[in-house]
Amino acid sequence: MNTTILSVDRLSKFFVLNRTFLGNAAATVKAVDTVSFSIFPGETLGLVGETGCGKSTLARTIAGLYSPTEGKVLFKGQNIHCDHGKETNMLFKRQIQMIFQDPYSSLNPRMTIHDIIEEPLNIHKLAKGKEKEARISSLLLQVGLNPEYGSRFPHECSGGQRQRVGIARALAVSPELIVCDEPISALDVSIQAQIINLLEQLQTELRLTYLFIAHDLSMVRHISTRVAVMYLGSLVELASTEELYSHPLHPYTQALLSAIPIPDPAIESHRKRILLPGDIPSPLDPPSGCKFHSRCHYAMPICQKSPPELTATDLNHYTACHLVK
Amino acid sequence: MPVLLDVQNLSVIFHTYAGTVRAVNNVSFTVNQGKIIGIVGESGCGKSATAQAIMGILPQPPAEMISGGIYLDAAELTALSEKELQHIRGKKMSMIFQDPMTALNPVLTIGLQIAEMFMHHQHLAYKDALLQAEKALYSVDIPAPKARLEQYPHQLSGGMRQRVMIAMALACQPKLIIADEPTTALDVTIQAQIIDLLRSKNQKLGTSIILISHDLGVIASLCQRVLVMYAGEIIEAAPAADLYRLPAHPYTYGLLQSVPRPDRKNHGLLSIAGQPPNLLKISSGCSFGPRCSYSMEICRQKPPLLSVGEQHATRCWLAHTDSPHRQMLLQGGLLIK
Amino acid sequence: MHITPSAFHRTPFPQEPLSTASATGTSYWQDAWRRLQNNKLAIAGLIFILLITLAAIAGPHFSGYSYADQNLPEANQPPSSMHWFGTDNLGRDLMTRVLYGARISLSIGIAASLINLTVGVLYGGIAGYAGGRIDNIMMRIVDILYGIPLLLYVILLMVVLGPGLLNIFLALGLVYWLGMARIVRGQILTIKKQEYVLAARLTGASSARILLRHLIPNSIGPILITTTLAIPEAIFTEAFLSFIGLGVSAPMASWGVLASEGVVSLRSYPFQLLYPALAISITMLSFNFLGDGLRDSLDPRMRK
């Protein structure tokens, strides 16, 4: 696994809030602040973090929906945010697709399921006539839907079925990398497992690479090859899944893992939790130095002054903490 | 342990544009004093409607309670007038909602909203009530409670707002609190704080709690007894330890199998096939039948609640005394399959 | 109940058929139409609007009178079998004049709301789609214009332009698009953030495709409602302008002109005011009922 499929290099994305009338910035949110990592072909990189940590912004920047404030996103070595001419640009759009969180707002309510899946095929002129119809049917079958569903409108489908349609739309252009932005958090528990199993099955069949974003740490453990943890716009830890869950090094990761309730009363009854004090600080006004120091049980004087760099503590285990230098 | 709340044969329907929805079907259960009982189920299983019926806050119309008795401390609540209910709500039982932002009045200060509870139920003067409000905020570990009294709900974080809701719910020391998805809108680290708070209040004050959640982990970390609801019915009721160790209904089993464990390596999730039930036309037989992989001839008839152990009942024909599969079920056979 | 052992044999549970009656692909418009049909007031309004439109187009040809020819010996006659609505002070048949007035009033209503629709949708659409500074400047202009009562603008414009049918179109069209622009901008801003628009951008859809396939079809409901409600407003404004003498010129007769003439002889011949006033009120009510009905049937929050 030497060649990366995607590498993110010191990527930052700032949003300006409360512009004055003439457009001068009054407040800036550093949604993503100097983040670097790579994704290898065929793997699933899990990205976890709490509300406001910037994981969705990062996902959308990688997918090409936002242009970065600083840094770059390289897909197979080429910067996706540069203009390479119309054809190459369209090729990038085919290779990176996205699955969205809310199955209720991710499908146009005025279009039938058939038309929703047809649209990307038309845009990229991938198929015509009978061939196109066959492709739409096979896409629906691939995500476990009967092709008869094509005539339905989104409001006639359940949440799980809608999410399957969203997956079929993403698959229509045969992408290599799929950014899954909280694809299961709006679904019922029994349906979540269906979608996860489908994603895993598609990954093997089509040799897909996933960037899987979620706040459900249990599901991330289940599906990911490696896991990255974000806090207030920065990566705090990145390691292979087993390594991260069994030996978390960053105090935030430790607290996050200890906070997940385990569905087993026998374990829960005598479990000691690391309770973090206070709330997540506002991304508008993050703490200086290490952004986690205001809630960290191990905070030292240096933590308030300088932000720790993401450094390798072990092979494939990166942590941004002054404690583990 | 004396019984605090007794719900008998509760049925609620909703009149909607598309037809009549049977939201709650013949639900009966009891809550003992000082206990935490969990109601778990997916969206549309009737858990919230059950809670609203107990509190007497069902939106009528479209909802209609077609049968049922609700006894709190042996007093029949369904016979009470709205005015008498208002007296009981807040004083004897209170509720915590999923989204505290909609449950708090955005244009009134936190202090005033909590103080009102004391003015209404304990007839305190405003000044004394405000003092009590400060104590209430202090008791749910809100830092600088005095300053918070002056603040408006939008100035607080989600976790803080939920603490305020808990402070309000506990203000008049009710015997029962119904918490409807109290942590669903919160982040994991904040959820852990709120779970911790609810547990310590239950232990210190002896307040009974009905915890409604879709999250099996949250239920496991708080509840002594669990009811599983599906399509408006209680399909399994058991002490928490038994339910997670020996689930006796294929739905409960499927639910447990479809959630990965955060604390160990998982090999393949077992998902429940099919779609959530359409409440407009529930099958006349077992409501889980269409999605069940253990389906039998007899499942076309509605199963009764059958006992499978001490305090443990399941609404599944597999558990019937004539059923050849009962032994498998009692020994955790569902887990082996 | 006796249970035989065979009852416990494994057997698949009967499944619901896939294509049920409720899910045969009812589109948004079919659904909305079904809802509208249940709203009796809206349907009554719609029927009355259709009837009066038909009467306005065909009526004057069949009445046997001209709206302009004077016939002084028959002046001020009460309603009779010859003149169903009576005659005015110049002996003109009042029914013909009311039906002819319907032509003018309705065409003003429809033309004004079409101008309103075009300008408002374009202005609001551009502001909403462009966003940022362009949006800011465009909408502040709307805010400033909104600061002064719209009727005042219209009166000022009419004073400058002089009375006349065309000038009324112009004056109403220049002013009444403000509300539409605001509504369209709001719609576009909300829909622009929907994930299906993001998904379309991800697949490389052009701006034109996004506008035509996603943004406009999804904001058409509110646009239709606003247009329907703008028609009575324009009719009323025209009636008001004519009433104060700034409307269409004689012998053309809009409902406002007829009402204003009727007021003069209110004491002696009240029917001369009654019929035009009834026409104005019922038409306004009909459009408002229809607009409210559309709002209820098209509003996404009402849909399940």
Side-chain angles (χ1 to χ4, degrees):
Chain A
M1 290 215 300
N2 288 326
T3 49
T4 63
I5 184 166
L6 186 98
S7 59
V8 175
D9 187 16
R10 302 192 71 77
L11 186 76
S12 297
K13 177 67 189 170
F14 301 161
F15 289 105
V16 172
L17 293 183
N18 302 328
R19 271 182 198 277
T20 58
F21 184 73
L22 293 173
N24 300 319
T28 310
V29 180
K30 296 185 175 181
V32 177
D33 192 1
T34 338
V35 166
S36 306
F37 63 89
S38 303
I39 304 179
F40 300 104
E43 76 165 344
T44 301
L45 178 67
L47 183 62
V48 294
E50 298 178 280
T51 315
C53 74
K55 56 190 193 296
S56 273
T57 307
L58 181 59
R60 290 178 179 192
T61 314
I62 288 172
L65 285 171
Y66 297 151
S67 48
T69 311
E70 272 168 46
K72 53 195 173 199
V73 178
L74 302 175
F75 182 81
K76 293 184 174 170
Q78 278 185 296
N79 189 336
I80 64 157
H81 292 100
C82 289
D83 193 4
H84 303 278
K86 192 163 185 265
E87 260 174 47
T88 322
N89 286 348
M90 286 300 263
L91 209 62
F92 279 137
K93 299 232 182 249
R94 276 184 58 183
Q95 285 164 335
I96 308 177
Q97 280 294 307
M98 199 162 164
I99 300 169
F100 294 90
Q101 171 178 10
D102 182 359
Y104 288 86
S105 90
S106 63
L107 305 180
N108 186 339
R110 302 294 161 79
M111 286 162 77
T112 59
I113 304 306
H114 173 276
D115 293 353
I116 288 169
I117 298 173
E118 185 187 24
E119 187 171 40
L121 294 175
N122 286 344
I123 290 172
H124 291 275
K125 303 186 181 67
L126 290 178
K128 261 192 243 156
K130 268 192 181 156
E131 195 192 335
K132 185 164 75 183
E133 294 309 311
R135 176 92 177 108
I136 294 170
S137 295
S138 82
L139 279 166
L140 282 171
L141 281 174
Q142 204 158 30
V143 297
L145 289 177
N146 189 316
E148 280 179 41
Y149 273 87
S151 62
R152 292 198 184 193
F153 283 88
H155 66 96
E156 295 166 322
C157 300
S158 68
Q161 289 167 339
R162 284 158 177 253
Q163 201 55 289
R164 286 172 194 267
V165 175
I167 295 172
R169 174 179 57 195
L171 291 179
V173 293
S174 319
E176 292 183 39
L177 172 70
I178 298 187
V179 178
C180 311
D181 187 5
E182 304 246 14
I184 53 161
S185 60
L187 302 174
D188 268 324
V189 181
S190 70
I191 306 298
Q192 288 186 354
Q194 290 181 3
I195 297 296
I196 289 294
N197 286 343
L198 174 67
L199 286 174
E200 288 183 319
Q201 178 201 331
L202 291 170
Q203 181 165 44
T204 356
E205 281 172 17
L206 305 170
R207 273 170 286 151
L208 296 167
T209 307
Y210 292 140
L211 173 60
F212 188 90
I213 292 160
H215 62 263
D216 179 345
L217 287 114
S218 319
M219 212 46 112
V220 167
R221 174 173 196 163
H222 173 76
I223 199 170
S224 306
T225 325
R226 291 187 304 146
V227 177
V229 183
M230 264 184 105
Y231 186 77
L232 280 177
S234 306
L235 276 191
V236 297
E237 192 157 0
L238 171 65
S240 69
T241 308
E242 282 321 306
E243 171 74 9
L244 187 101
Y245 280 77
S246 50
H247 304 292
L249 289 177
H250 198 282
Y252 176 64
T253 316
Q254 290 168 357
L256 205 57
L257 291 178
S258 116
I260 327 169
I262 295 172
D264 187 345
I267 295 179
E268 278 295 324
S269 60
H270 54 264
R271 196 160 160 240
K272 264 267 176 272
R273 283 220 162 79
I274 308 171
L275 281 184
L276 288 181
D279 283 312
I280 305 163
S282 158
L284 264 173
D285 182 24
S288 62
C290 172
K291 288 171 181 162
F292 185 60
H293 84 253
S294 61
R295 298 174 78 195
C296 185
H297 290 295
Y298 309 99
M300 306 174 290
I302 187 181
C303 301
Q304 293 182 29
K305 288 183 203 117
S306 75
E309 286 281 321
L310 196 67
T311 41
T313 45
D314 194 355
L315 195 66
N316 287 327
H317 196 150
Y318 300 84
T319 314
C321 180
H322 290 299
L323 278 176
V324 288
K325 276 229 165 118
Chain B
M1 195 71 72
V3 171
L4 175 68
L5 177 80
D6 189 356
V7 176
Q8 284 176 4
N9 299 321
L10 178 69
S11 292
V12 177
I13 56 172
F14 280 80
H15 301 282
T16 71
Y17 183 69
T20 304
V21 171
R22 302 189 62 92
V24 181
N25 258 332
N26 264 322
V27 162
S28 305
F29 65 94
T30 57
V31 181
N32 288 347
Q33 245 159 39
K35 291 286 178 199
I36 306 182
I37 117 159
I39 303 183
V40 69
E42 300 177 281
S43 53
C45 72
K47 53 194 197 299
S48 285
T50 305
Q52 290 173 341
I54 296 170
M55 288 299 288
I57 53 168
L58 273 174
Q60 288 171 312
E64 189 190 337
M65 197 171 132
I66 50 173
S67 76
I70 298 165
Y71 304 87
L72 182 70
D73 260 353
E76 161 70 298
L77 297 186
T78 50
L80 297 182
S81 69
E82 176 58 27
K83 208 169 165 122
E84 289 166 309
L85 264 178
Q86 273 173 9
H87 194 68
I88 288 185
R89 258 181 249 143
K91 199 170 184 180
K92 283 195 156 178
M93 59 179 183
S94 51
M95 192 156 172
I96 304 166
F97 297 90
Q98 172 175 349
D99 183 2
M101 199 58 206
T102 55
L104 291 167
N105 187 335
V107 297
L108 299 180
T109 58
I110 301 294
L112 186 64
Q113 293 188 55
I114 306 178
E116 258 183 0
M117 296 283 299
F118 293 105
M119 286 150 76
H120 180 235
H121 289 293
Q122 296 179 2
H123 310 290
L124 294 182
Y126 179 61
K127 250 187 168 172
D128 302 327
L130 214 54
L131 259 175
Q132 290 295 320
E134 191 186 331
K135 277 189 195 160
L137 288 183
Y138 180 77
S139 74
V140 292
D141 306 326
I142 289 184
K146 195 154 193 150
R148 301 285 178 187
L149 291 175
E150 305 289 321
Q151 289 186 321
Y152 291 88
H154 71 266
Q155 292 171 297
L156 303 180
S157 67
M160 279 300 154
R161 280 199 289 266
Q162 200 55 285
R163 282 177 193 268
V164 169
M165 280 303 297
I166 295 173
M168 281 175 76
L170 288 169
C172 298
Q173 294 172 349
K175 293 185 168 172
L176 175 70
I177 285 186
I178 301 179
D180 190 356
E181 304 266 8
T183 61
T184 306
L186 304 174
D187 281 314
V188 216
T189 56
I190 308 297
Q191 167 174 288
Q193 296 172 351
I194 297 294
I195 289 177
D196 195 57
L197 178 67
L198 284 174
R199 185 189 292 119
S200 82
K201 288 299 162 195
N202 165 260
Q203 282 164 359
K204 272 190 210 141
L205 307 172
T207 317
S208 304
I209 299 176
I210 300 180
L211 179 75
I212 295 172
S213 180
H214 68 277
D215 187 328
L216 289 158
V218 172
I219 296 274
S221 63
L222 270 175
C223 302
Q224 286 117 17
R225 185 171 170 76
V226 184
L227 313 174
V228 184
M229 284 188 79
Y230 186 82
E233 293 171 320
I234 292 181
I235 53 113
E236 186 164 2
D242 297 347
L243 186 95
Y244 285 81
R245 199 168 47 86
L246 286 175
H249 194 286
Y251 175 66
T252 315
Y253 168 71
L255 215 51
L256 285 167
Q257 289 302 302
S258 56
V259 190
R261 291 278 296 256
D263 56 334
R264 63 166 92 119
K265 214 170 168 154
N266 300 281
H267 301 284
L269 294 180
L270 203 120
S271 67
I272 303 176
Q275 300 301 321
N278 179 354
L279 295 179
L280 287 169
K281 37 182 174 187
I282 295 175
S283 70
S284 56
C286 173
S287 50
F288 186 62
R291 301 174 73 186
C292 186
S293 46
Y294 296 89
S295 154
M296 303 174 292
E297 299 264 350
I298 197 168
C299 298
R300 291 165 204 202
Q301 295 169 43
K302 192 150 277 296
L305 262 183
L306 300 161
S307 172
V308 284
E310 203 182 332
Q311 305 280 327
H312 190 165
T314 175
R315 197 179 286 281
C316 179
W317 285 115
L318 289 174
H320 194 269
T321 40
D322 291 344
S323 158
H325 313 291
R326 184 177 159 89
Q327 275 314 308
M328 165 200 85
L329 198 68
L330 295 184
Q331 290 158 1
L334 285 178
L335 293 173
I336 296 157
K337 190 202 165 184
Chain C
M1 181 170 59
H2 180 69
I3 299 170
T4 56
S6 69
F8 292 99
H9 286 165
R10 290 278 175 84
T11 168
F13 201 85
Q15 298 288 327
E16 256 182 49
L18 174 73
S19 296
T20 51
S22 68
T24 45
T26 43
S27 79
Y28 176 82
W29 295 109
Q30 287 166 324
D31 203 31
W33 173 235
R34 205 182 60 205
R35 260 164 208 284
L36 191 67
Q37 279 173 318
N38 286 342
N39 188 334
K40 294 202 175 59
L41 276 179
I43 289 297
L46 182 65
I47 290 172
F48 181 79
I49 291 164
L50 290 177
L51 281 179
I52 201 150
T53 313
L54 211 69
I57 295 167
H61 296 295
F62 295 107
S63 69
Y65 300 97
S66 144
Y67 74 94
D69 291 351
Q70 302 180 6
N71 183 4
L72 288 175
E74 286 192 8
N76 291 330
Q77 289 204 351
S80 65
S81 58
M82 288 284 292
H83 302 283
W84 288 2
F85 286 9
T87 58
D88 69 359
N89 60 346
L90 296 173
R92 293 175 291 201
D93 179 54
L94 206 54
M95 189 165 86
T96 313
R97 281 178 72 72
V98 168
L99 288 178
Y100 195 81
R103 282 189 182 183
I104 294 176
S105 290
L106 285 178
S107 50
I108 285 175
I110 290 163
S113 61
L114 280 183
I115 299 175
N116 173 344
L117 180 79
T118 324
V119 181
V121 169
L122 275 178
Y123 195 94
I126 291 169
Y129 192 64
R133 203 175 300 182
I134 299 175
D135 174 40
N136 210 353
I137 292 170
M138 285 176 83
M139 291 327 280
R140 290 304 83 74
I141 294 173
V142 169
D143 289 347
I144 292 166
L145 289 177
Y146 237 125
I148 303 167
L150 294 185
L151 203 55
L152 203 60
Y153 285 117
V154 178
I155 292 174
L156 285 175
L157 277 170
M158 290 306 290
V159 169
V160 174
L161 297 170
L165 195 56
L166 216 67
N167 290 345
I168 292 187
F169 287 163
L170 201 66
L172 291 179
L174 272 173
V175 169
Y176 273 94
W177 54 269
L178 294 176
M180 178 67 89
R182 277 190 171 177
I183 283 166
V184 171
R185 171 190 172 260
Q187 282 292 315
I188 300 280
L189 274 185
T190 330
I191 300 167
K192 205 167 70 167
K193 290 196 200 103
Q194 297 284 305
E195 289 178 343
Y196 59 81
V197 177
L198 297 183
R201 279 174 56 197
L202 266 184
T203 36
S206 60
S207 288
R209 179 183 271 272
I210 289 175
L211 261 171
L212 292 176
R213 298 266 302 187
H214 299 285
L215 297 181
I216 290 179
N218 279 290
S219 42
I220 233 155
I223 292 174
L224 195 68
I225 296 159
T226 318
T227 311
T228 314
L229 292 173
I231 295 175
E233 208 183 337
I235 292 178
F236 185 78
T237 312
E238 183 280 326
F240 174 78
L241 288 173
S242 298
F243 194 82
I244 62 171
L246 288 170
V248 295
S249 35
M252 279 211 277
S254 72
W255 287 341
V257 173
L258 293 176
S260 136
E261 287 172 0
V263 167
V264 178
S265 47
L266 178 62
R267 292 232 169 143
S268 11
Y269 312 110
F271 63 88
Q272 289 181 359
L273 176 62
L274 180 70
Y275 293 112
L278 268 182
I280 296 175
S281 327
I282 298 178
T283 309
M284 301 249 318
L285 272 179
S286 299
F287 274 108
N288 277 311
F289 284 150
L290 181 64
D292 280 345
L294 283 176
R295 194 200 314 264
D296 290 346
S297 62
L298 292 176
D299 192 331
R301 273 164 299 179
M302 303 285 295
R303 293 159 51 79
K304 176 77 185 134

